[in-house]
Amino acid sequence: MSLARRPFNFAPGPALLPEAVLRRAAEEMLDWQGSGMSVMEMSHRGREFTSIAEKAERDLRALLAVPPQFRILFMQGGGLAENAIVPLNLSRAGAVDVVVTGAWSQKSAKEARRYADVRVVASNEADGHTSLPPPASWQPRPDAQYLHLCSNETIHGVEFQTLPDLKALGSDAPLVIDCSSHILSRPIDWPKVGLAFAGAQKNIGPAGLTVVIVREDLLGRALPACPSAFDYQLVAENRSMFNTPPTYAIYIAGLVFEWIAAEGGVAALEARNVEKSALLYDALDGSGGFYVNRVAKDARSRMNVPFFLRDESLNEAFLAAAKERGLLQLKGHKSVGGMRASIYNAMPLEGVQALVDHLQDFARRHG
Amino acid sequence: MSLARRPFNFAPGPALLPEAVLRRAAEEMLDWQGSGMSVMEMSHRGREFTSIAEKAERDLRALLAVPPQFRILFMQGGGLAENAIVPLNLSRAGAVDVVVTGAWSQKSAKEARRYADVRVVASNEADGHTSLPPPASWQPRPDAQYLHLCSNETIHGVEFQTLPDLKALGSDAPLVIDCSSHILSRPIDWPKVGLAFAGAQKNIGPAGLTVVIVREDLLGRALPACPSAFDYQLVAENRSMFNTPPTYAIYIAGLVFEWIAAEGGVAALEARNVEKSALLYDALDGSGGFYVNRVAKDARSRMNVPFFLRDESLNEAFLAAAKERGLLQLKGHKSVGGMRASIYNAMPLEGVQALVDHLQDFARRHG
């Protein structure tokens, strides 16, 4: 590693990791704490790896203040697989309600239809996924086994600022949240939640690990078609060792959890994320229309900021100039176009400031 | 890393990796080839990671001489999940034949029953999983969608030395092999095979990656209950990027493939594995009964060597003395007991020799 400063990587996931985590992983690669083994080489049932997995679980529980009646599961498959695994475990082949706020909740609704009677009870499709449908307008079904929403839409940059209280809407259904792209960036309001899941590759660690946090009373409902490797009950009973878990990804996640704690925990990161996202949105909004973010202000994500250049013929020049400044992976998702800056926990304020400088310089040169 | 020599790690998986691979991974951790990114931080759809994944696939194809009509898929879930994913993709909810030779094929039969009409057409259960049922005695069903076997049983140490020719048994069913624990240790006889799968954590790389090699004509048969993330057709069409793949595990696997090629390829490793396993079995058989391996000689695995001390009260002393010599993770699987030495590709002859020295010294002291 010869670079004086690492570039700032705005990828939506897999994404930037804290440099301290990468340095420690490199140092421990051949010999984890005198064990003579790389973490990749450890039996998942051995003393060494068990201690790593248990510490990771404990640290995550502390960081997110997960109540004792919730189980933390380390699984495989990512968000897309989890869109099937959730209804396989919770739907009872009955009614499932979904709130659509972007590409990811749309995928969830589609996938759940394999197993359940799915109804979209609210959607922001009419405005191109740029707003949050007010919970008072939702009409959850009384027989719904659960209601699913994506609390932060990675592609469309739409984030719930507070979770809905389903009880206040007259529903007893557990709330399922896909919080893949903002987990650990803010607290989770557990009394409102039945299950939260997150692919690791944004705020947690490497791709290939999925974290599922599920209320105990929701275990044991899996459909016969649920592969045993994905049956929450079996995974919970076996402390995520029912099958071989993605051991190295769990180890890296554990290092990230330690890093978050050292940075002051989720509250400190949330304050930083508020500051970072305000800096970026202010620059976009203050560009006199040179850049546009189309998401309603109360729905804007602190993590994923999609934006467009008014003159899209400048897109390639914008990306090339960004790369020269060490600002990487800013191209928007193919389904949306334009640009997207993902500014997860590991992105320092300095990185967002460097992006804002680029936005302003580029606008000045091409405005 | 201050050890003069790394210990020899006989874990069944996750398992020993080549030291050269770990050193390279450590060196590249913060900056992969001047990209300014760790491989863990790369978008899976970006130019850099695409080049890593394509090279890994190409190298694996070359090493195993995979014919062009087979597709190589990088997936998640490990062997246990694959036991469900195979019938979800291939069973058509019809007849599935299974040959039981140990714990893993037993699990496969059990899991497939969720989706298909499963029949065990041959089994070595009567002799405690220590032999190979001769293919001439199998009676595959004419309407079987496929026949499943585990070509190397990790727990029971039973390995097919040649694959059966189902056509010669009057069956047109595709042969599905779970080759998790001996892939890349010997060639695969592709004309006899419809699908081969392997969890990575033995001979390929870190846990969390599953390699599936499937004949193209078997794609597109998935049941409606198959999660789209695990639909072979979708995964193949999207070059394993339908969902976010376990990117870092694929990178490490690619480094292992490069290491195998540098060592002389699969043929060279096979010769070494023959030598290593013969050295170990000869030591066990020549111990005058102090150590016993109960597997029939023509069924003995070159990869996983379970054995027992005649006097099992010495087990703890045996393991403690082994650890003192830097011989790690020799304890047998809980369902079998005793000891097990897993001597995968990455285990050098020197490691097996060190184990044999320990076997002999320990027998001398306690015989």
Side-chain angles (χ1 to χ4, degrees):
Chain A
M1 179 63 194
S2 58
L3 292 169
R5 193 203 76 195
R6 302 187 77 224
F8 295 115
N9 179 354
F10 295 91
L16 190 64
L17 285 165
E19 187 171 329
V21 166
L22 296 174
R23 289 200 183 280
R24 173 119 172 245
E27 280 160 22
E28 296 183 337
M29 180 64 83
L30 275 90
D31 182 19
W32 182 80
Q33 302 193 3
S35 67
M37 297 183 275
S38 173
V39 174
M40 282 186 223
E41 302 178 304
M42 291 175 185
S43 168
H44 56 297
R45 300 190 196 281
R47 192 171 45 82
E48 294 87 355
F49 185 73
T50 303
S51 77
I52 290 172
E54 288 180 354
K55 180 165 194 316
E57 188 189 320
R58 219 163 41 232
D59 287 354
L60 178 58
R61 187 176 289 276
L63 286 171
L64 279 177
V66 179
Q69 69 271 31
F70 283 77
R71 302 295 294 263
I72 295 178
L73 313 180
F74 294 131
M75 299 183 66
Q76 295 186 49
L80 195 60
E82 209 56 41
N83 280 337
I85 295 169
V86 169
L88 278 165
N89 275 279
L90 300 191
S91 76
R92 290 170 157 157
V96 166
D97 290 342
V98 179
V99 174
V100 167
T101 53
W104 275 98
S105 41
Q106 250 172 351
K107 286 186 205 194
S108 303
K110 186 176 166 198
E111 194 73 13
R113 286 199 178 93
R114 298 181 186 281
Y115 315 102
D117 163 32
V118 174
R119 185 185 294 174
V120 174
V121 294
S123 172
N124 64 358
E125 198 168 355
D127 61 38
H129 305 304
T130 59
S131 67
L132 283 172
S137 71
W138 308 355
Q139 298 191 315
R141 288 179 286 179
D143 59 339
Q145 297 297 318
Y146 63 91
L147 183 145
H148 173 108
L149 60 82
C150 177
S151 46
N152 184 66
E153 289 277 0
T154 323
I155 292 176
H156 288 91
V158 170
E159 182 174 15
F160 281 86
Q161 304 305 322
T162 55
L163 290 176
D165 182 351
L166 295 192
K167 284 210 176 52
L169 303 178
S171 167
D172 285 326
L175 177 66
V176 170
I177 62 170
D178 171 1
C179 57
S180 295
S181 49
H182 74 162
I183 190 171
L184 289 164
S185 74
R186 59 194 305 156
I188 293 179
D189 194 358
W190 293 109
K192 293 176 176 169
V193 172
L195 182 148
F197 73 84
Q201 65 269 22
K202 287 100 162 56
N203 270 325
I204 294 178
L209 170 64
T210 315
V211 172
V212 177
I213 306 176
V214 55
R215 224 172 52 205
E216 262 171 356
D217 62 289
L218 300 176
L219 300 175
R221 300 183 181 188
L223 297 176
C226 183
S228 59
F230 302 126
D231 181 327
Y232 294 147
Q233 167 94 353
L234 293 173
V235 178
E237 277 171 5
N238 290 276
R239 297 290 300 265
S240 302
M241 304 280 177
F242 183 65
N243 63 342
T244 312
T247 50
Y248 197 73
I250 292 171
Y251 158 71
I252 297 288
L255 296 183
V256 171
F257 300 153
E258 287 180 19
W259 174 82
I260 293 174
E263 295 288 305
V266 170
L269 288 178
E270 183 181 29
R272 200 188 291 171
N273 290 327
V274 167
E275 189 182 1
K276 281 152 53 182
S277 55
L279 179 65
L280 181 50
Y281 283 115
D282 285 351
L284 296 170
D285 293 344
S287 69
F290 191 91
Y291 306 105
V292 183
N293 168 283
R294 294 174 185 156
V295 179
K297 292 203 173 172
D298 64 352
R300 282 176 166 180
S301 169
R302 294 175 187 162
M303 296 284 107
N304 308 98
V305 183
F307 61 94
F308 300 87
L309 277 66
R310 183 171 47 203
D311 178 358
E312 294 222 282
S313 72
L314 294 173
N315 281 359
E316 288 309 312
F318 177 87
L319 288 168
K323 195 168 180 184
E324 266 178 42
R325 299 170 85 123
L327 308 174
L328 305 182
Q329 309 207 74
L330 281 160
K331 194 172 176 179
H333 190 272
K334 60 180 185 231
S335 67
V336 172
M339 306 295 152
R340 174 174 45 166
S342 294
I343 49 176
Y344 298 121
N345 280 342
M347 176 63 66
L349 181 64
E350 185 196 359
V352 178
Q353 186 59 58
L355 173 59
V356 165
D357 292 346
H358 172 56
L359 288 168
Q360 292 171 345
D361 289 352
F362 189 84
R364 223 169 357 250
R365 283 207 311 281
H366 298 274
Chain B
M1 179 60 195
S2 58
L3 292 169
R5 193 204 75 195
R6 300 186 79 224
F8 296 115
N9 178 352
F10 295 91
L16 191 63
L17 285 164
E19 186 171 330
V21 165
L22 295 174
R23 288 201 184 280
R24 174 119 172 245
E27 280 161 20
E28 295 183 338
M29 181 62 84
L30 275 91
D31 182 19
W32 182 80
Q33 303 194 1
S35 66
M37 296 183 275
S38 173
V39 173
M40 282 186 224
E41 301 178 305
M42 292 177 183
S43 168
H44 55 297
R45 300 190 196 281
R47 192 170 44 81
E48 294 86 355
F49 185 73
T50 303
S51 77
I52 289 172
E54 288 181 352
K55 181 165 193 316
E57 188 187 321
R58 219 161 43 232
D59 287 354
L60 178 59
R61 187 176 288 278
L63 286 171
L64 279 177
V66 179
Q69 70 271 29
F70 283 76
R71 302 294 294 265
I72 296 177
L73 313 180
F74 294 131
M75 300 183 64
Q76 294 185 50
L80 195 62
E82 209 57 39
N83 280 336
I85 296 170
V86 168
L88 279 164
N89 275 278
L90 301 190
S91 74
R92 290 168 156 156
V96 166
D97 290 343
V98 178
V99 174
V100 166
T101 53
W104 277 97
S105 40
Q106 248 172 352
K107 285 186 205 194
S108 303
K110 186 177 166 197
E111 194 74 14
R113 287 200 177 93
R114 298 180 186 283
Y115 314 104
D117 164 30
V118 173
R119 186 184 295 174
V120 173
V121 295
S123 172
N124 64 358
E125 198 168 355
D127 61 36
H129 306 304
T130 60
S131 68
L132 283 170
S137 71
W138 307 357
Q139 298 191 315
R141 285 177 289 178
D143 59 339
Q145 297 298 316
Y146 64 91
L147 184 145
H148 174 106
L149 60 81
C150 177
S151 47
N152 184 68
E153 288 278 0
T154 321
I155 292 176
H156 288 91
V158 170
E159 181 173 17
F160 281 86
Q161 303 305 322
T162 55
L163 290 176
D165 182 352
L166 295 191
K167 285 210 176 53
L169 302 178
S171 167
D172 286 327
L175 177 66
V176 169
I177 61 170
D178 171 359
C179 57
S180 295
S181 50
H182 73 161
I183 190 171
L184 289 163
S185 75
R186 59 197 303 158
I188 292 178
D189 194 358
W190 292 109
K192 293 176 177 169
V193 173
L195 182 147
F197 73 83
Q201 66 269 24
K202 287 101 163 53
N203 271 322
I204 292 178
L209 168 65
T210 315
V211 172
V212 177
I213 307 177
V214 55
R215 224 170 54 205
E216 261 170 358
D217 62 289
L218 299 176
L219 300 174
R221 299 183 181 188
L223 297 176
C226 182
S228 59
F230 301 125
D231 180 328
Y232 293 148
Q233 166 93 354
L234 293 173
V235 178
E237 276 171 5
N238 291 277
R239 297 289 298 266
S240 304
M241 304 279 177
F242 183 64
N243 62 342
T244 312
T247 51
Y248 196 73
I250 292 172
Y251 158 72
I252 297 289
L255 295 183
V256 171
F257 300 154
E258 287 180 20
W259 173 81
I260 295 175
E263 294 287 306
V266 170
L269 288 179
E270 183 180 29
R272 199 187 291 171
N273 291 327
V274 168
E275 189 182 359
K276 280 153 51 184
S277 54
L279 179 64
L280 181 51
Y281 284 115
D282 285 350
L284 297 171
D285 293 344
S287 70
F290 192 91
Y291 306 105
V292 183
N293 169 283
R294 295 175 185 156
V295 179
K297 291 203 173 170
D298 65 351
R300 282 178 166 179
S301 168
R302 294 174 187 162
M303 298 283 105
N304 308 99
V305 183
F307 60 94
F308 300 87
L309 276 65
R310 185 174 41 204
D311 178 359
E312 295 222 279
S313 72
L314 295 173
N315 281 358
E316 289 308 312
F318 178 88
L319 288 167
K323 196 168 179 186
E324 264 178 41
R325 301 170 83 124
L327 308 174
L328 306 182
Q329 309 207 73
L330 280 161
K331 194 172 178 181
H333 190 272
K334 60 179 184 235
S335 68
V336 172
M339 307 293 153
R340 175 174 45 168
S342 294
I343 49 176
Y344 297 121
N345 281 341
M347 175 62 66
L349 181 62
E350 185 196 357
V352 178
Q353 185 60 59
L355 174 58
V356 166
D357 292 345
H358 172 55
L359 289 169
Q360 293 171 345
D361 290 352
F362 189 83
R364 224 173 349 253
R365 284 208 308 280
H366 298 272

